[in-house]
């Protein structure tokens, strides 16, 4: 309840708690708290122009730091560690565990065809924060089922052919992004997903 109250005070509605059992070789007694903050729709709709998106990303990163600090302050006796330190303790990268996989395990959404997390409230238009603790701060969530269904909007729009109906090739995506100039991003898969659009499936 106290964790919920802290997230409420920080105006965060998209959050959950994940067990790491079975996800990493040795969870060290840690569980994960994942939360997501929505991108401004204007920043996503302006893509591939990167100016608004970059500004929004920086602002969300600042908020994620403040929220992480607020949670740590609300639980001064807790054993909180951030994502970077957890990486070292739990070998997350070696176990193939990224922030979006943790967010999926914490019930925030599913991993879509685009390889992005697709949340019920904002589709893939979210920036993620992640904390770890050994304390029992609430109910463990279950990962939701994939709800991409027959949709292929991200695959259709992807300029690098990184996304197919049943696979995602990160190298094709990063190679394409390297060809773009400094003022241009891609993120078209985020923009195209119907689950994040204001007229989309869930909003
Ligand atoms: S960021 Fe662009 S290139 Fe990469 S997967 Fe998404 S749409 Fe394709
Ligand atoms: S655009 Fe469609 S296929 Fe791609 S992640 Fe979103 S729902 Fe899934």
């Amino acid at each position: 309840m106290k964790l919920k109250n802290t997230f409420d005070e920080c105006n965060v509605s998209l959050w959950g708690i994940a067990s790491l059992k079975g996800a990493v070789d040795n969870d060290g007694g840690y569980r994960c708290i994942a939360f997501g903050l929505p991108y401004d729709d204007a920043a996503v709709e302006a893509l591939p122009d990167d100016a608004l998106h970059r500004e929004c990303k920086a602002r969300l990163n600042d908020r994620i730091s403040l929220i992480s600090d607020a949670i740590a302050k609300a639980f001064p006796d807790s054993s909180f560690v951030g994502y970077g330190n957890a990486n070292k303790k739990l070998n997350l990268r070696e176990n193939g565990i990224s922030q979006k996989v943790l967010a999926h395990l914490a019930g925030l959404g599913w991993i879509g065809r685009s390889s992005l997390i697709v949340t019920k409230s904002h589709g893939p238009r979210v920036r993620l924060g992640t904390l770890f603790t050994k304390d029992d701060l609430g109910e463990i969530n279950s990962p939701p089922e994939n709800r991409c269904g027959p949709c292929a909007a991200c695959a259709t729009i992807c300029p690098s052919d990184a996304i197919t109906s049943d696979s995602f090739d990160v190298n094709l995506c990063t190679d394409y992004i390297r060809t773009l100039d400094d003022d241009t991003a891609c993120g078209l898969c985020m923009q195209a997903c119907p689950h994040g659009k204001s007229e989309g499936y869930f909003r």
Side-chain angles (χ1 to χ4, degrees):
M1 195 62 185
K2 191 172 169 188
L3 184 61
K4 179 186 180 314
N5 290 342
T6 309
F7 275 123
D8 284 349
E9 282 162 18
C10 295
N11 206 17
V12 177
S13 56
L14 184 65
W15 64 275
I17 302 176
S19 165
L20 299 176
K21 287 200 188 331
V24 295
D25 296 336
N26 178 3
D27 68 15
Y30 282 100
R31 55 191 62 190
C32 162
I33 300 168
F35 60 97
L37 304 180
Y39 275 101
D40 295 347
D41 280 339
V44 178
E45 293 304 331
L47 288 167
D49 184 312
D50 197 28
L52 275 181
H53 173 252
R54 200 184 306 139
E55 183 273 325
C56 184
K57 190 159 74 174
R59 190 159 30 82
L60 293 180
N61 285 349
D62 288 346
R63 260 195 81 201
I64 286 167
S65 296
L66 290 173
I67 291 163
S68 301
D69 289 348
I71 292 170
K73 203 170 156 195
F75 297 91
D77 299 327
S78 184
S79 51
F80 278 115
V81 294
Y83 184 67
N85 284 332
N87 247 332
K88 287 181 207 144
K89 283 176 193 276
L90 303 174
N91 293 326
L92 295 175
R93 220 165 266 144
E94 288 75 1
N95 281 284
I97 306 290
S98 59
Q99 277 192 296
K100 67 186 171 191
V101 170
L102 291 163
H104 169 59
L105 294 174
L108 271 60
W110 67 92
I111 305 298
R113 224 160 243 133
S114 58
S115 184
L116 299 171
I117 179 129
V118 184
T119 66
K120 196 168 174 180
S121 54
H122 295 92
R125 301 176 178 215
V126 291
R127 193 135 186 95
L128 297 171
T130 319
L131 290 167
F132 298 80
T133 180
K134 291 185 181 181
D135 297 5
D136 177 6
L137 298 183
E139 197 179 320
I140 301 284
N141 297 81
S142 303
E145 281 179 16
N146 187 302
R147 294 179 68 174
C148 284
C151 174
C154 54
T156 302
I157 204 164
C158 176
S160 73
D161 294 331
I163 308 168
T164 67
S165 59
D166 56 4
S167 69
F168 174 75
D169 187 330
V170 68
N171 294 322
L172 287 176
C173 171
T174 50
D175 286 351
Y176 170 75
I177 288 171
R178 278 197 201 105
T179 67
L180 303 175
D181 65 44
D182 285 349
D183 299 328
T184 313
C186 187
L188 296 176
C189 45
M190 181 199 283
Q191 187 187 71
C193 185
H195 288 286
K197 288 181 179 291
S198 51
E199 75 276 21
Y201 295 172
F202 290 127
R203 291 170 74 193

